[in-house]
Amino acid sequence: MKPAALSITDLTVDYPLADGSVVTAVSGVNLTVAPGEIHALVGESGAGKTTIGNALMGLLQAPGRVAKGRIEIGGKPVDIRTGRTDGIVQGKDVGAIFQDPMTSLNPLFTVESQLGETMRHHLGLSRAEARRRSLELLRAVGIPEPERRLKSYPHQLSGGQRQRVVIAAALCCGPKLIIADEPTTALDVSVQAQILKLIRGLADERGVGILLVTHNMGVVAEVADRVTIMLKGQVVESGPVAEVLGAPQHAYAKALIGAVPRVDVKLPRLPVPAQESPGTAAAREQVRARMGGGEEAKAGVLSVDNLVVEYGARGGFFGGSRVFRAVKGVSFTVEPGEIFGLVGESGCGKTTVANTIAGLAKPTSGSVTLGGLPIGAKRGGVARKALQMVFQDPYSALNPRLRVTTAIAEPIAFYHLAATKAEAVEDAALLLESVGLDREAGARFPHAFSGGQRQRIAIARALAPRPRFLVCDEPTSSLDVSVQAQILNLLKDLRDLAGLSILFISHDLAVVRQMCDRIAVMKSGEIVEQAPTEELFAAPSHPYTRELLSLVPSLDKIAREPVAV
Amino acid sequence: MIASIGSRLGQAVLVMLAVTAIAFVMFRYVGDPVAMMSREDASPAEKAELRASLGLDRPAIVQYGDFLGRTLKGDLGISFRNQRPVVDLLAERLPATLELVIVATLLSLSVGIPIGVYCALKPDGALTRAIQTISLVGISMPTFVTGIGLILIFAVTLRWLPSFGRGDVVQIGGWSTGFLTRSGWASLILPSITLALYQLTLIMRLVRAEMIDVLSSDYIRFAKARGLPSRYINFRLALRNALMPVVTVTGLQIGSLIAFAIVTETVFQWPGMGLLFIQAVSFADVPVMAAYLLFVGFLFVVINMIVDLTYTLIDPRLRTRRA
């Protein structure tokens, strides 16, 4: 029998701190990857899954170190102190695939140079030989026109093509083990499906063992053979994918899998691992009361009529003007108190639509009205106050130099919604409580909060001017599943209790199904299909919608316990 | 590519037009040329005649066109102070300044880049800390203090090197060079070190910061994960990315060194452009000042264009997408 591609016994990784204490990022982890097997390592941020990957690649950030344990690659032990071993060479026997193909290739060197350098170094190939092998590799990973692509620079390739080049580089010396850290997280669903297929093929045809680090349960269900679920540096459950995902035993594993939004059935609320405090509910009720509540507070209809947005690159003296039409005549309406979903792949124009509605981009033609009032780039104070936005990345959406209370109280004071400064601060505290944070949190700066907490703060800030309409652009795509479930429930509650209308933009069809009343599917600047959610999922009429639905990696391929609806 | 060079050229022409307009205003309206050229007891009629003969009574725009035409032909007027064509004065002084600046720049690059890389690779080393501290002193020390200090040590106390002038120069065509004589080189050492010191610390700090940034980037981590040797990663893969901003800064620095080497040239009595300018200012020699302004403007426009073109050569992302 061939030795395991990877075998980890009792691995512990420490980060000694300056004050002498030690943070244990990974403790006592056991894991085996057989040749030709895809072993998924899942968990939420901070679980230590990436740390394991980095330890295997010898990329632990100082002062991190492997405190104890045993690592064997292809049956040969690795010296845990130096990361070296006889006969096992980093890059030759262990390949790596990183998360973001946009940043993992050096922008100043050609594809050929980046593929060839590894082989010339490890295998001692000549330039011509390396070139021939590079060409073979590009063919193997399915890049169109491989001869031409050898001479290309990374910026000339699409995200999917770049990830294929990265995979080719990982493969180039015939490794026994590939460590893939979130290899499809930065990609669109259709590209993701292709890359996953490619990775599955490598394991099956070349017998490479693959350690797949991911947070996406759908991806696990789609390609992995075995899965290990981690929590706070420890393994909580491990086993064949169908068993673990289908019938998890450990409480955390159950909660984690339960929190993954399902594509197959709509639930009234997403199951959340932890229950919220009664104070939060009370605060939310107060916020609702302030926002007016009831029928009269509802926004008018948001109506987008034949919207066209062009981005122009007007040339100088000699260059002609090149106009890119990002949105080509989009029309839809969002009823008061409705959650309207806008889905599509990156570059389809959905974010441009959101930005135009929020007044951040100028429409070339067409109109956007809220309750009959035009809200173009120039808008009155009423429309400005009524419509607020929640952005995708909670890390860059908050001013790092403003205390949270200041950030939230600012719009309250700006719109004269509080008589005194003390009242505005009290309002801000209430808002924080209503999104499930402590009142005291306001005294701190954004860097003191996790991604999920920051997104809650961003939502609280958007609620501060007592809006009637929220534009949410991928509000949960950078968050962990359990946090995502909480944020989605929060948005739903706000709609139910305060009558907010929400334009919900996402590329994640499962999330959209759980959230939205109606959905529009966008492709290259146009809406190809628009229907009530249940109808769209039951009977998609446009081929593109059908394609998107078929490509979503989901847990549904694995029989799950039926959830009580 | 051609379109982008074309539009660059267009912009350069616009900038130069603006600079010539300012130079013209200075030339024409700072002080009255007629009052300066005529005798003190000249009658108003004589002055008017002189004004007409000089063409100064024509509309300003016509005079500007005339000025532009003369400038294009290389006629920058006659120096008030020594009654010689300004172009000749500039041509005489330019080689001295250029040689000084070239040596200073090469010195700062060849020392600054390796030190910067070293500090980035060993961020916590004792030597790095020492270099960082010294460089802080270097960057905050005024040029004249450095210059005078160097003169004191190497010229006055040790008597190894001359403290002023260019030494013996050799004429090649219209160019006087100090590169060909022993005393020329000896005279270059102190002023070029003085001039290079600030630029050196700047480049070193820039390279260090950029290298640290690049070394933590994903593509360098990916290169490490592929097991490439660290020398190759540091000096070929990372350094090239780190040098991008160095190109810009070096370009701009060369420009300001040529234009504003005044302090160093004064300290070392270096017969360059800076000294010429200082003398022109103290004598209110307006044609020289206007010409100097034109020259500096032209210099910066040219250097900026060269920097932009170099950028396109280094960074494939800036080339037009032909693929």
Side-chain angles (χ1 to χ4, degrees):
Chain A
M1 202 187 109
K2 274 167 77 179
L6 170 71
S7 141
I8 297 177
T9 321
D10 197 24
L11 180 73
T12 299
V13 179
D14 281 348
Y15 283 89
L17 299 180
D19 61 4
S21 62
V22 169
V23 174
T24 306
V26 172
S27 80
V29 168
N30 297 306
L31 200 123
T32 341
V33 182
E37 181 183 70
I38 298 183
H39 192 122
L41 198 55
V42 298
E44 302 195 86
S45 37
K49 53 192 198 303
T50 296
T51 306
I52 292 181
N54 284 346
L56 293 175
M57 292 185 281
L59 289 180
L60 279 181
Q61 299 277 343
R65 62 189 168 92
V66 176
K68 64 174 175 153
R70 198 177 150 77
I71 301 172
E72 281 179 22
I73 293 171
K76 293 174 185 161
V78 176
D79 182 339
I80 54 167
R81 279 186 306 276
T82 61
R84 298 231 173 81
T85 179
D86 292 331
I88 292 290
V89 178
Q90 207 56 256
K92 180 165 172 277
D93 302 290
V94 185
I97 304 172
F98 283 21
Q99 174 168 0
D100 190 353
M102 294 298 166
T103 57
S104 47
L105 293 174
N106 195 320
L108 302 187
F109 295 88
T110 60
V111 168
E112 180 184 352
S113 150
Q114 301 195 44
L115 281 179
E117 65 191 7
T118 319
M119 289 185 283
R120 283 170 57 201
H121 175 67
H122 289 308
L123 309 178
L125 300 184
S126 70
R127 212 171 265 269
E129 184 67 6
R131 189 185 143 76
R132 201 183 54 74
R133 289 277 290 272
S134 304
L135 200 60
E136 262 170 35
L137 282 166
L138 288 189
R139 286 210 182 90
V141 296
I143 285 194
E145 302 179 77
E147 290 86 0
R148 196 159 67 94
R149 286 304 169 208
L150 273 184
K151 294 276 166 249
S152 294
Y153 288 93
H155 73 274
Q156 294 164 324
L157 308 178
S158 69
Q161 286 172 339
R162 287 188 210 199
Q163 197 61 310
R164 284 171 196 269
V165 171
V166 170
I167 293 174
L171 268 183
C172 64
C173 302
K176 299 175 176 67
L177 174 72
I178 288 182
I179 294 148
D181 191 353
E182 305 271 7
T184 59
T185 307
L187 304 172
D188 272 331
V189 270
S190 59
V191 183
Q192 166 168 285
Q194 294 162 15
I195 297 289
L196 289 179
K197 211 172 137 201
L198 176 64
I199 292 177
R200 182 70 254 181
L202 296 180
D204 293 345
E205 287 154 26
R206 301 187 180 225
V208 185
I210 293 171
L211 184 68
L212 178 71
V213 177
T214 183
H215 71 281
N216 188 330
M217 293 291 181
V219 167
V220 175
E222 195 84 9
V223 296
D225 301 305
R226 298 176 71 82
V227 58
T228 294
I229 297 178
M230 290 188 68
L231 171 68
K232 293 178 185 154
Q234 285 174 326
V235 172
V236 295
E237 194 158 343
S238 183
V241 166
E243 273 175 35
V244 174
L245 297 194
Q249 300 302 308
H250 190 275
Y252 174 75
K254 277 186 190 165
L256 188 68
I257 293 164
V260 177
R262 305 175 62 141
V263 184
D264 57 337
V265 59
K266 183 167 182 166
L267 308 172
R269 279 179 80 80
L270 290 152
V272 171
Q275 278 310 308
E276 62 183 16
S277 68
T280 305
R284 195 171 299 151
E285 184 52 38
Q286 257 179 294
V287 168
R288 188 197 64 74
R290 286 198 189 187
M291 286 172 78
E295 285 304 307
E296 75 280 5
K298 283 187 176 175
V301 178
L302 176 96
S303 157
V304 175
D305 192 29
N306 205 17
L307 182 72
V308 175
V309 184
E310 285 172 351
Y311 290 121
R314 305 258 180 289
F317 294 112
F318 300 95
S321 64
R322 257 182 301 166
V323 173
F324 173 64
R325 199 168 255 228
V327 177
K328 307 167 183 166
V330 161
S331 305
F332 61 87
T333 57
V334 183
E335 300 295 326
E338 184 182 40
I339 302 183
F340 185 85
L342 200 56
V343 298
E345 297 189 271
S346 56
C348 74
K350 55 190 195 300
T351 292
T352 307
V353 170
N355 285 346
T356 314
I357 292 172
L360 301 174
K362 245 165 92 179
T364 309
S365 70
S367 71
V368 182
T369 57
L370 181 64
L373 296 167
I375 47 167
K378 272 193 184 156
R379 54 184 57 190
V382 181
R384 222 186 295 147
K385 171 176 167 300
L387 198 146
Q388 294 294 322
M389 189 152 179
V390 177
F391 294 93
Q392 173 172 6
D393 181 7
Y395 288 91
S396 57
L398 298 170
N399 185 336
R401 306 206 201 295
L402 280 190
R403 285 181 201 278
V404 167
T405 300
T406 321
I408 298 176
E410 198 174 42
I412 299 176
F414 182 79
Y415 291 110
H416 308 294
L417 297 173
T420 61
K421 191 163 179 260
E423 259 181 65
V425 169
E426 173 56 30
D427 258 16
L430 197 64
L431 281 164
L432 280 177
E433 222 175 338
S434 76
V435 295
L437 294 170
D438 289 339
R439 300 172 76 89
E440 289 72 31
R444 287 185 276 166
F445 287 98
H447 67 77
F449 297 93
S450 70
Q453 289 172 323
R454 287 185 207 211
Q455 198 62 310
R456 284 163 186 266
I457 294 168
I459 291 173
R461 186 182 57 181
L463 293 176
R466 300 177 195 168
R468 293 175 298 170
F469 196 103
L470 273 190
V471 177
C472 300
D473 187 2
E474 305 265 13
T476 59
S477 60
S478 56
L479 305 176
D480 278 328
V481 272
S482 62
V483 183
Q484 164 172 290
Q486 293 169 18
I487 298 281
L488 293 180
N489 284 341
L490 171 65
L491 287 173
K492 264 191 171 175
D493 289 348
L494 287 169
R495 188 276 297 267
D496 294 343
L497 297 173
L500 270 180
S501 315
I502 297 176
L503 175 65
F504 192 90
I505 290 170
S506 180
H507 69 280
D508 187 335
L509 289 165
V511 167
V512 168
R513 169 151 215 189
Q514 296 307 316
M515 288 299 289
C516 302
D517 304 312
R518 280 191 306 134
I519 293 174
V521 180
M522 274 190 83
K523 189 194 180 200
S524 6
E526 285 163 349
I527 289 182
V528 296
E529 184 169 1
Q530 200 175 148
T533 305
E534 292 310 308
E535 241 172 71
L536 188 102
F537 278 86
S541 66
H542 194 276
Y544 180 70
T545 314
R546 281 200 288 274
E547 191 194 328
L548 270 187
L549 283 174
S550 74
L551 289 174
V552 183
S554 78
L555 284 181
D556 308 333
K557 309 212 163 151
I558 289 161
R560 287 206 281 185
E561 295 169 73
V563 179
V565 177
Chain B
M1 186 81 180
I2 289 172
S4 84
I5 293 176
S7 82
R8 280 271 152 217
L9 275 174
Q11 288 168 13
V13 169
L14 282 182
V15 171
M16 281 318 292
L17 277 178
V19 173
T20 45
I22 296 170
F24 164 72
V25 169
M26 192 172 159
F27 189 70
R28 174 65 187 78
Y29 297 106
V30 175
D32 184 4
V34 174
M36 288 184 197
M37 293 173 81
S38 54
R39 286 172 291 115
E40 273 187 29
D41 58 345
S43 68
E46 278 174 320
K47 281 187 177 173
E49 199 181 319
L50 182 61
R51 194 175 294 278
S53 73
L54 286 172
L56 296 178
D57 54 347
R58 295 173 298 160
I61 188 79
V62 177
Q63 291 188 46
Y64 173 60
D66 197 38
F67 175 79
L68 211 57
R70 276 188 283 127
T71 304
L72 284 177
K73 274 185 263 162
D75 175 6
L76 295 174
I78 308 286
S79 160
F80 289 162
R81 191 165 69 93
N82 45 17
Q83 296 299 318
R84 291 177 54 203
V86 174
V87 176
D88 292 357
L89 286 175
L90 285 180
E92 213 168 80
R93 299 301 189 97
L94 188 61
T97 298
L98 273 187
E99 287 186 355
L100 178 61
V101 167
I102 287 169
V103 171
T105 304
L106 291 180
L107 191 68
S108 56
L109 287 176
S110 59
V111 179
I113 293 177
I115 295 184
V117 171
Y118 176 85
C119 291
L121 293 180
K122 295 209 165 43
D124 295 322
L127 186 55
T128 300
R129 280 173 201 195
I131 293 171
Q132 286 284 90
T133 316
I134 295 168
S135 79
L136 203 61
V137 176
I139 214 162
S140 46
M141 184 114 75
T143 322
F144 66 89
V145 174
T146 331
I148 291 170
L150 287 175
I151 290 177
L152 194 66
I153 298 169
F154 293 100
V156 179
T157 313
L158 298 172
R159 296 183 176 278
W160 287 353
L161 297 165
S163 64
F164 66 91
R166 284 185 80 191
D168 298 326
V169 292
V170 178
Q171 289 287 337
I172 301 172
W175 188 275
S176 66
T177 177
F179 286 164
L180 298 174
T181 61
R182 207 184 145 79
S183 73
W185 275 107
S187 317
L188 249 177
I189 295 174
L190 292 185
S192 60
I193 290 178
T194 309
L195 200 56
L197 211 60
Y198 178 79
Q199 207 188 356
L200 191 154
T201 41
L202 192 70
I203 286 175
M204 184 215 106
R205 292 184 150 250
L206 191 67
V207 168
R208 176 183 162 273
E210 283 297 316
M211 264 307 261
I212 287 177
D213 236 30
V214 171
L215 285 176
S216 64
S217 70
D218 267 2
Y219 51 82
I220 295 301
R221 289 184 61 230
F222 186 53
K224 284 183 187 160
R226 280 181 285 154
L228 297 173
S230 52
R231 277 184 73 86
Y232 181 82
I233 292 178
N234 293 338
F235 291 98
R236 184 169 152 80
L237 300 182
L239 187 57
R240 204 193 286 193
N241 282 284
L243 286 183
M244 304 280 295
V246 177
V247 172
T248 318
V249 169
T250 308
L252 292 176
Q253 280 290 314
I254 290 178
S256 48
L257 284 189
I258 297 176
F260 311 116
I262 296 171
V263 177
T264 310
E265 293 192 353
T266 312
V267 170
F268 289 94
Q269 286 296 301
W270 191 260
M273 310 257 308
L275 214 52
L276 177 75
F277 181 66
I278 287 284
Q279 288 160 352
V281 170
S282 52
F283 281 88
D285 196 344
V286 176
V288 175
M289 286 195 275
Y292 193 75
L293 175 68
L294 272 179
F295 171 74
V296 170
F298 181 69
L299 191 73
F300 272 93
V301 165
V302 169
I303 286 177
N304 263 314
M305 278 193 70
I306 294 174
V307 166
D308 282 347
L309 291 180
T310 318
Y311 247 81
T312 4
L313 283 183
I314 306 180
D315 193 341
R317 283 167 294 190
L318 297 175
R319 289 175 218 154
T320 36
R321 301 185 173 204
R322 269 165 293 183

